[in-house]
Amino acid sequence: MTNIVSGIRIVGDRTLKIVERIGAIASFLFSILIHSAASFKRFSLTIREVYFAGVQSLIIILVSGLFVGMVLGLQGHETLQRYGSEDSVGVLVALSLVRELGPVVSALLFASRAGSAITAEIGLMKATEQLSAMEMMAVNPISRVVAPRFWGGVISLPLLALLFSAMGIIGGYLIAVVLIGVDSGSFWSQMQSAVDFEHDIVNGIIKSLVFGVAISAIATFEGYEAPPTAEGVSGATTRTVVSSSLAVLALDLVLTAFMLKGWN
Amino acid sequence: MTNLVEIANLNFGYNSRLVLKGINLTVPKGSLVAIMGLSGCGKTTLLRLMGGQLRASEGTVTVAGEKLNDLSQAELYRFRRKLGMLFQFGALFTDLSVFDNVAFQMREHTDLSETFIQDLTLLKLNAVGLRGMHHMMPSELSGGMARRVALARAIALDPQLMLYDEPFTGLDPISLGVIGQLIRKLNDTLGTTSVLVTHDVQESLKIVDYIYFVSDGVIVAQGTPDEIRGSDLPFVHQFIWGEMDGPMPFHYPAQSLKHDLELMGG
Ligand SMILES: Nc1ncnc2c1ncn2[C@@H]1O[C@H](COP(=O)(O)OP(=O)(O)O)[C@@H](O)[C@H]1O
Ligand SMILES: [Mg+2]
């Protein structure tokens, strides 16, 4: 009996902590937004972070995109040929990538590559008193350090997701057309007529924008709130990867549900 | 106004535990005042109160005529432009070069042209003897050099008040002497007022005008370097001469050695 009660208590306690944390991240996001003027007035600050976040993740995104596309080509062809419609493999590859795998997989990769780096960098700046020093120099660290990194992440993720999808389509093409011998003309033309710009591409971009906001908010929050010690920073880095990956998958479910239903 | 810093009846605690108790302290304009005490006695906390990073629980902190208790966040940011602070390990921005570190505040707070900023930055670096290193990154500097660059950065906008948090920590004896002399020289040539927090007695007695001793959050002694050297207060005596035992016992309270050893032996 006491076991059940204490079990329930632990679950309740954890739940409260999670809710509390989400609230803290939301209010942190709010303070980033109201301190974002400098990130746009001095856009070079943000561009620098786009460059860092983008370059850090570029190779892994391109390579993963290629592999995922190739696997899709293989699996798609295998399944479709049972129904005699292996010509549609291009459609399957493109839709899976643009709607789901591009935004989601690149977000997961981005979270573990760039997100963790952002957390570690901000956490170390805090641990070595650089943020305090900045505050003492009358410069707000949220507006000078956090906001540019946040916007850098938000801007670069959709671009990376598009690159991921493009590489994936190339991978699918290599497998289906070059290797297996699906007709190149029908591969492309079926893809072109089946992929809708608004429904598929724009929705994919919306997804990666939302993921970018979530990952960047979590990554900057964890860095900024990290205990100023070595263990504190490494723990925060791990939390960034775990919680932003979960956030991406949960948000994906919600967004997909709305997008398939058409938002209303 | 003859005192740049005035602290009256200050109490401060993180959470509910009081870290500073009934502090009264003044820093006359143009002087170099040291706050000494053992690690953890509340020295950094006292500096952060003067910089407005922490707010007094009770009592008042007045710096350069502004009562920090009453300032809003925006007013605090404006107030801090009168301040320079050297952090314990320099706290240089690791993603910026030496030059950009020193130029940081000029770029953030002034509309000076880039050529003017360049001249000014090189002059500040010259004042700490490191003009030739302006293109290096902080990770390439030795501890002593990093501390000097941080010093150049702190004086970039000619602050009225300089706060030094343990500027001597982790330095070799030569760098330590250099930093000490620089602190004194900059204070006098720039007409600044300085507060120096340290536990390095010998170095600071050479350069400061007045000393406050803090122990357990209370000021236990104060005076000029000569008065402090001649002090017969046991705490001050132990601190200055680095004696192992005194009011601060060498042994952390424990059960008798005999008792503990017998326990271990079974
Ligand atoms: N942010 C904080 N939260 C809670 N306690 C703190 C914090 N910073 C310092 N303390 C505590 O306050 C006391 C004084 O710390 P500090 O001012 O850093 O000492 P000093 O600089 O003299 O070594 C210490 O006991 C320390 O543990
Ligand atoms: Mg300290």
Side-chain angles (χ1 to χ4, degrees), chain A residues 116-240:
Chain A
S116 61
I118 290 174
T119 302
E121 192 191 12
I122 297 180
L124 279 177
M125 289 183 84
K126 182 181 179 191
T128 53
E129 296 192 301
Q130 294 179 48
L131 298 184
S132 265
M134 197 172 274
E135 221 169 58
M136 288 300 294
M137 288 187 251
V139 175
N140 189 329
I142 300 264
S143 99
R144 182 61 173 73
V145 172
V146 173
R149 281 165 179 74
F150 171 82
W151 288 111
V154 172
I155 294 170
S156 46
L157 183 52
L159 301 175
L160 290 167
L162 286 176
L163 285 174
F164 183 98
S165 298
M167 284 306 283
I169 290 170
I170 293 174
Y173 174 85
L174 287 177
I175 291 293
V177 176
V178 178
L179 197 71
I180 300 179
V182 171
D183 179 53
S184 164
S186 43
F187 181 91
W188 291 118
S189 66
Q190 291 211 19
M191 186 192 299
Q192 234 168 26
S193 57
V195 176
D196 178 73
F197 183 74
E198 192 185 328
H199 270 107
D200 302 322
I201 297 182
V202 171
N203 277 346
I205 293 175
I206 291 176
K207 274 187 182 179
S208 35
L209 269 177
V210 174
F211 299 160
V213 170
I215 296 170
S216 307
I218 291 172
T220 49
F221 172 84
E222 290 291 353
Y224 199 76
E225 296 296 326
T229 59
E231 310 87 74
V233 175
S234 80
T237 311
T238 311
R239 272 199 305 281
T240 291

Side-chain angles (χ1 to χ4, degrees), chain A residues 129-130 135 137-138 144, chain B residues 48 53 77 93-94 108-109:
Chain A
E129 296 192 301
Q130 294 179 48
E135 221 169 58
M137 288 187 251
R144 182 61 173 73
Chain B
R48 289 190 189 278
Q53 277 189 322
Y77 269 99
F93 301 132
T94 37
E108 294 290 326
H109 292 316

Side-chain angles (χ1 to χ4, degrees), chain A residues 228, chain B residues 12-15 17-20 37-48 54 88 165-166 197 199 214:
Chain B
F12 177 83
Y14 296 101
N15 312 320
R17 192 173 63 93
L18 275 188
V19 173
L20 295 170
L38 301 171
S39 299
C41 73
K43 304 183 296 294
T44 301
T45 307
L46 196 48
L47 274 194
R48 289 190 189 278
L54 299 171
Q88 197 157 357
D165 191 1
E166 310 213 5
V197 156
H199 47 221
V214 180

Side-chain angles (χ1 to χ4, degrees), chain B residues 35-257:
Chain B
I35 298 172
M36 288 190 203
L38 301 171
S39 299
C41 73
K43 304 183 296 294
T44 301
T45 307
L46 196 48
L47 274 194
R48 289 190 189 278
L49 282 155
M50 292 185 203
Q53 277 189 322
L54 299 171
R55 225 175 261 267
S57 320
E58 278 171 65
T60 56
V61 178
T62 315
V63 178
E66 311 219 37
K67 209 170 145 212
L68 301 191
N69 309 51
D70 306 337
L71 297 189
S72 69
Q73 196 65 23
E75 287 169 325
L76 270 178
Y77 269 99
R78 185 185 41 71
F79 156 77
R80 288 197 190 124
R81 297 194 191 185
K82 303 179 188 170
L83 244 55
M85 180 154 178
L86 183 65
F87 281 80
Q88 197 157 357
F89 294 100
L92 290 175
F93 301 132
T94 37
D95 56 340
L96 300 181
S97 69
V98 164
F99 182 94
D100 292 336
N101 262 284
V102 178
F104 183 81
Q105 287 190 84
M106 306 176 196
R107 290 186 176 138
E108 294 290 326
H109 292 316
T110 69
D111 299 323
L112 301 174
S113 71
E114 199 52 33
T115 45
F116 198 77
I117 287 182
Q118 170 143 12
D119 295 346
L120 211 51
T121 303
L122 291 180
L123 279 177
K124 297 292 175 190
L125 277 169
N126 201 42
V128 299
L130 294 179
R131 182 165 42 86
M133 312 201 92
H134 65 89
H135 54 277
M136 313 251 292
M137 292 304 285
S139 55
E140 301 172 285
L141 303 176
S142 73
M145 285 172 178
R147 216 66 62 87
R148 277 149 80 183
V149 172
L151 190 48
R153 182 180 70 174
I155 58 168
L157 293 185
D158 298 324
Q160 296 180 29
L161 177 66
M162 273 297 299
L163 305 172
Y164 296 95
D165 191 1
E166 310 213 5
F168 305 124
T169 314
L171 294 184
D172 59 81
I174 297 180
S175 308
L176 194 146
V178 170
I179 292 282
Q181 293 309 314
L182 264 177
I183 289 175
R184 181 78 241 183
K185 194 182 101 192
L186 291 174
N187 189 72
D188 298 345
T189 53
L190 301 177
T192 323
T193 307
S194 309
V195 178
L196 168 71
V197 156
T198 179
H199 47 221
D200 192 304
V201 190
Q202 301 309 333
E203 192 56 39
S204 14
L205 282 179
K206 284 188 230 156
I207 57 170
V208 302
D209 300 316
Y210 200 82
I211 297 150
Y212 288 92
F213 269 97
V214 180
S215 173
D216 259 336
V218 183
I219 292 181
V220 290
Q222 53 180 292
T224 61
D226 285 337
E227 288 166 1
I228 291 293
R229 280 197 196 92
S231 166
D232 46 13
L233 283 171
F235 173 82
V236 175
H237 202 266
Q238 184 190 3
F239 199 96
I240 294 197
W241 304 108
E243 290 156 358
M244 282 215 343
D245 241 339
M248 291 290 139
F250 169 67
H251 284 292
Y252 191 83
Q255 286 180 305
S256 77
L257 190 59

Side-chain angles (χ1 to χ4, degrees), chain A residues 45-139:
Chain A
L45 289 179
T46 305
I47 290 296
R48 197 182 125 106
E49 301 308 329
V50 172
Y51 176 80
F52 278 126
V55 165
Q56 257 168 0
S57 322
L58 189 61
I59 297 294
I60 188 172
I61 293 269
L62 293 181
V63 173
S64 312
L66 192 65
F67 281 132
V68 169
M70 289 169 130
V71 171
L72 281 176
L74 275 176
Q75 294 276 18
H77 181 265
E78 222 282 311
T79 310
L80 289 172
Q81 74 173 353
R82 290 188 213 166
Y83 310 100
S85 50
E86 60 260 45
D87 283 356
S88 308
V89 66
V91 178
L92 185 134
V93 169
L95 283 185
S96 326
L97 281 168
V98 174
R99 285 184 175 183
E100 279 300 328
L101 294 174
V104 172
V105 177
S106 48
L108 294 177
L109 294 171
F110 185 80
S112 51
R113 192 71 187 82
S116 61
I118 290 174
T119 302
E121 192 191 12
I122 297 180
L124 279 177
M125 289 183 84
K126 182 181 179 191
T128 53
E129 296 192 301
Q130 294 179 48
L131 298 184
S132 265
M134 197 172 274
E135 221 169 58
M136 288 300 294
M137 288 187 251
V139 175

